[in-house]
Amino acid sequence: MLKSMSSSEDHLVSLIVSSTGKSHLRQIHAVLLRTSLIRSSDVFHHFLSRLAPRDLDYSRHVFSQRSNPSVSHCNTMIRAFSVSETPGEGFRLFRALRRKTFPPANPLSSSFALKCCIKSGDLLGGLQIHGKIFSDGFLSDSLLLTTLMDFYSTYANSAAACKVFDEIPKRDTVSYNVLISCFLRNKRTRDVLFLFDKMMKEVDGCVRPDGVTCLLALQACASLGALDFGTQVHEFIDGNGLGGALNLNNTLVSMYSRCGSMDKAYEVFNRMRERNVVSWTAMITGLAMNGFGKEAIEAFEKMLKCGIFPQEHTLTGLLSACSHSGLVHEGMMFFDRLKSGEFKMKPNLHHYGCIVDLLGRARLLDKAYSLVQSMEMKPDSTIWRTLLGACRVQGNVELGERVISHLIELKAEEAGDYVLLLNTYSSVGNWEKVTELRSLMKEKRIHTKPGFSAMEVQGTVHEFIVDDVSHPRKEEIYKMLAEINQQLKIAGYVAEVASELHNLDSVEEKGHALTYHSEKLAIAFGILMTPPGTTIRVTKNLRTCVDCHNFAKFVSRVYDRVVIVRDRSRFHHFKGGFCSCNDFW
């Protein structure tokens, strides 16, 4: 039985609970020492619980004076260490607690120790704790197993996290959220949508999506370009009284923007009762990636008039808007204002990258290269890749080779960099260099990243790769693609054979090699599965090639469809035979 506290102890505990400042807590410590109430386990626990999050160094000293601390005292310190800059101390205290024969550690001890391992990046320590959880018989503790899932999620081990999830006896919203977060962190975005859908159908009242679930699901939808599913999440948010949450509204703006639906993004933004710099940044960035440069500038100026000061990400979005829309004068003007200190920050690598992109798109390659060489900071690989992309578009082989040498010097070259250089060589017909570069890639074991395109139909995301034969409706898709190609040829479409990097013998062979790119298969599937006039939305993991770009332009005109393609850098809105990027990407 617990011994009841005296009135003096009750009074001190109430003082402890109401204290917030370090000095006040130290004064209480003096009183506890003078009255010997420090010996009371309950009083000491209340005092340590209040002190540890506020003054860890002093707490460490107080704790060390305790001759026989209880498990709850140790747990208080382990918990404090788990959110400190020295989480390793918490794990060491946990191990010391386990070495004692009495009292034994409890599930909370393991949970806080796991959080220490997450914070310190101690994989081995976490694995040891997992073993102890099993041997201690704590596998029925749902809260502890949820923390264990979070541990595996941190180390990108989604398989282990799933296994732990399956072992949780009573799953709740928190455990689902941890697994969803794990899937998102490991780029298993389709599994995120599956879990959200499963939560919606759960009959158990303990499992229901909350604000965190919706936030994670919206991020997955944005990554996949899953507009229909994102709209369903939006409806759930509004239908369950979550529509006033600022973070959810900000994420909705971002999701709709990244799905190419700026009308919906505007709708959410305009109805928001409260907007912060994140709201404005999401709107400006969304307009930028969708090619609405002038509207992004207007939004930025309006934000300033509202008294909201920009952050670094805001300026990145603004400069990117100028770049994607070819607004050279405006972009340089904002960059000069940034350098002058008007926005109380210095240009960072992302800002320089946007200006290099801007100048490259404007065919001012020499000026872009000079800017990179004159930067106050060392250019990173992203800056050089941006310049390399401009070299590819303009067929500037000499500068492209110089840029690659800079990437090699940084030891940051990737398969995509060599592909850009291959594109540059092939665009000017230098097949000898193409062959030479391919041999070098083979020698250095550089493998290109496989491209894929995704399209959502009725809430289900369908993925395609080049020459894909895995789709259950493949025969219908290839038949539709053949019909589309026939219609486009009548309208004047000719395959852009420079997009084919292999030196094939004839133009016909090259054209055939380009026919079954993943993007074309996705567009054919969209025409097959949706009624006439429906917008076709495709998400692509790589930069779209010139031939697929031309193909989409012809489809938008011949089939009277709006086709929206999101590649790895921007959106392409095709309508009536034209693209929002003005054929520069």
Side-chain angles (χ1 to χ4, degrees):
M1 288 179 62
L2 289 172
K3 195 168 70 174
S4 60
M5 290 190 290
S6 65
S7 58
S8 57
E9 288 177 339
D10 283 337
H11 177 65
L12 267 174
V13 167
S14 64
L15 276 177
I16 291 166
V17 172
S18 62
S19 300
T20 54
K22 294 180 183 179
S23 59
H24 193 197
L25 285 165
R26 291 191 181 194
Q27 289 171 11
I28 291 173
H29 185 215
V31 173
L32 292 175
L33 289 170
R34 192 167 61 248
T35 59
S36 297
L37 286 172
I38 195 77
R39 296 175 186 170
S40 166
S41 181
D42 288 335
V43 173
F44 184 77
H45 173 69
H46 280 96
F47 176 67
L48 195 63
S49 299
R50 201 69 179 165
L51 181 67
R54 293 163 179 78
D55 194 342
L56 187 55
D57 288 337
Y58 194 69
S59 298
R60 191 188 288 111
H61 167 71
V62 171
F63 181 76
S64 68
Q65 302 300 309
R66 190 80 182 182
S67 58
N68 190 26
S70 68
V71 173
S72 63
H73 301 155
C74 293
N75 286 350
T76 299
M77 289 304 296
I78 296 169
R79 183 180 190 179
F81 283 125
S82 73
V83 293
S84 74
E85 296 304 313
T86 56
E89 286 192 57
F91 180 63
R92 286 192 290 274
L93 177 57
F94 171 76
R95 286 198 302 183
L97 178 62
R98 291 211 49 97
R99 282 194 293 267
K100 293 176 66 174
T101 55
F102 181 82
N106 62 22
L108 273 179
S109 314
S110 299
S111 181
F112 295 144
L114 274 172
K115 289 178 181 178
C116 289
C117 293
I118 293 170
K119 183 81 184 285
S120 63
D122 186 355
L123 174 60
L124 182 59
L127 293 173
Q128 290 173 353
I129 294 170
H130 189 178
K132 295 298 181 185
I133 291 170
F134 184 81
S135 62
D136 290 343
F138 292 154
L139 290 175
S140 61
D141 192 293
S142 298
L143 182 62
L144 175 55
L145 292 186
T146 299
T147 308
L148 185 60
M149 279 172 54
D150 194 25
F151 164 75
Y152 282 118
S153 167
T154 305
Y155 289 95
N157 192 339
S158 56
C162 284
K163 191 175 179 182
V164 174
F165 180 79
D166 290 338
E167 292 171 356
I168 295 176
K170 192 172 183 180
R171 302 179 197 116
D172 58 9
T173 301
V174 176
S175 56
Y176 268 90
N177 286 349
V178 171
L179 186 59
I180 288 172
S181 177
C182 177
F183 284 155
L184 196 60
R185 197 176 293 168
N186 288 274
K187 303 190 188 312
R188 291 177 57 175
T189 41
R190 294 174 73 175
D191 290 325
V192 172
L193 305 192
F194 171 78
L195 271 182
F196 185 89
D197 198 47
K198 186 179 179 183
M199 290 178 76
M200 293 283 287
K201 293 171 181 174
E202 283 279 356
V203 291
D204 188 349
C206 294
V207 179
R208 190 76 175 152
D210 61 6
V212 174
T213 323
C214 293
L215 197 70
L216 296 169
L218 288 173
Q219 289 173 11
C221 292
S223 178
L224 284 168
L227 178 62
D228 291 346
F229 202 101
T231 303
Q232 290 176 36
V233 178
H234 187 182
E235 289 170 358
F236 177 85
I237 288 169
D238 285 347
N240 288 270
L242 300 171
L246 181 60
N247 62 342
L248 283 176
N249 281 317
N250 290 342
T251 309
L252 278 168
V253 171
S254 180
M255 184 274 293
Y256 281 126
S257 300
R258 291 185 65 190
C259 289
S261 181
M262 287 311 300
D263 288 344
K264 289 281 187 72
Y266 261 123
E267 190 180 307
V268 174
F269 185 78
N270 289 332
R271 78 170 192 188
M272 291 170 67
R273 297 193 194 99
E274 177 191 357
R275 300 186 192 113
N276 59 10
V277 67
V278 178
S279 318
W280 286 98
T281 300
M283 197 69 225
I284 291 166
T285 303
L287 289 165
M289 71 173 68
N290 282 279
F292 299 106
K294 291 182 179 178
E295 290 83 352
I297 291 173
E298 288 172 10
F300 180 78
E301 297 291 2
K302 190 174 180 181
M303 181 192 76
L304 294 179
K305 286 178 183 176
C306 291
I308 295 176
F309 215 73
Q311 293 177 339
E312 288 186 340
H313 290 308
T314 320
L315 268 299
T316 301
L318 178 68
L319 295 175
S320 174
C322 296
S323 172
H324 286 160
S325 299
L327 303 172
V328 179
H329 172 73
E330 292 86 346
M332 295 307 297
M333 179 265 292
F334 282 116
F335 189 61
D336 288 338
R337 287 171 66 182
L338 175 59
K339 288 195 295 183
S340 72
E342 180 182 339
F343 303 120
K344 298 180 181 176
M345 68 182 86
K346 289 184 178 180
N348 62 26
L349 284 168
H350 296 295
H351 301 146
Y352 274 104
C354 291
I355 298 302
V356 171
D357 191 40
L358 173 69
L359 295 171
R361 289 172 188 275
R363 303 188 179 276
L364 301 170
L365 276 180
D366 291 337
K367 194 172 180 180
Y369 188 55
S370 297
L371 176 66
V372 174
Q373 290 184 307
S374 66
M375 285 171 56
E376 294 178 7
M377 63 204 77
K378 188 175 181 179
D380 68 351
S381 56
T382 304
I383 299 277
W384 291 117
R385 286 189 186 110
T386 302
L387 191 56
L388 185 60
C391 293
R392 188 270 306 176
V393 172
Q394 296 178 38
N396 192 322
V397 172
E398 183 186 347
L399 183 56
E401 290 174 334
R402 268 189 283 167
V403 171
I404 280 286
S405 70
H406 285 292
L407 285 166
I408 292 170
E409 186 183 328
L410 286 171
K411 296 182 179 178
E413 74 269 30
E414 293 178 355
D417 304 328
Y418 289 96
V419 170
L420 280 174
L421 191 57
L422 281 170
N423 271 305
T424 308
Y425 287 139
S426 65
S427 67
V428 296
N430 193 337
W431 295 110
E432 186 180 334
K433 281 286 189 181
V434 169
T435 305
E436 188 182 310
L437 188 55
R438 281 194 178 279
S439 298
L440 177 64
M441 290 173 69
K442 189 175 182 180
E443 182 186 320
K444 295 179 74 172
R445 295 183 179 179
I446 295 170
H447 301 287
T448 56
K449 186 178 181 180
F452 70 85
S453 297
M455 183 186 178
E456 182 194 30
V457 176
Q458 296 177 348
T460 301
V461 178
H462 301 259
E463 288 186 358
F464 301 89
I465 60 172
V466 64
D467 297 326
D468 202 333
V469 292
S470 63
H471 198 279
R473 303 187 68 170
K474 58 182 180 293
E475 291 179 5
E476 295 170 85
I477 294 169
Y478 277 95
K479 186 178 178 182
M480 174 57 72
L481 183 55
E483 182 185 314
I484 293 169
N485 276 317
Q486 191 175 10
Q487 294 296 324
L488 298 194
K489 283 177 184 176
I490 295 170
Y493 164 71
V494 178
E496 177 57 62
V497 293
S499 295
E500 174 49 48
L501 300 180
H502 295 85
N503 187 18
L504 300 176
D505 293 333
S506 67
V507 171
E508 288 78 12
E509 283 182 298
K510 289 185 178 183
H512 180 77
L514 292 166
T515 301
Y516 305 119
H517 278 191
S518 64
E519 192 175 325
K520 294 180 179 179
L521 292 171
I523 290 173
F525 180 68
I527 292 175
L528 175 69
M529 296 297 295
T530 59
T534 306
T535 297
I536 296 172
R537 302 174 189 274
V538 176
T539 302
K540 190 174 175 69
N541 68 325
L542 302 176
R543 185 192 297 261
T544 188
C545 75
V546 176
D547 181 62
C548 286
H549 192 268
N550 289 343
F551 178 87
K553 285 200 293 184
F554 272 90
V555 167
S556 70
R557 177 161 63 85
V558 172
Y559 284 84
D560 194 23
R561 297 273 197 132
V562 173
V563 179
I564 300 175
V565 176
R566 187 183 89 194
D567 68 13
R568 73 176 184 192
S569 60
R570 65 164 297 152
F571 274 92
H572 300 267
H573 291 254
F574 300 95
K575 186 177 181 180
F578 297 94
C579 180
S580 59
C581 75
N582 295 317
D583 297 339
F584 195 103
W585 68 99

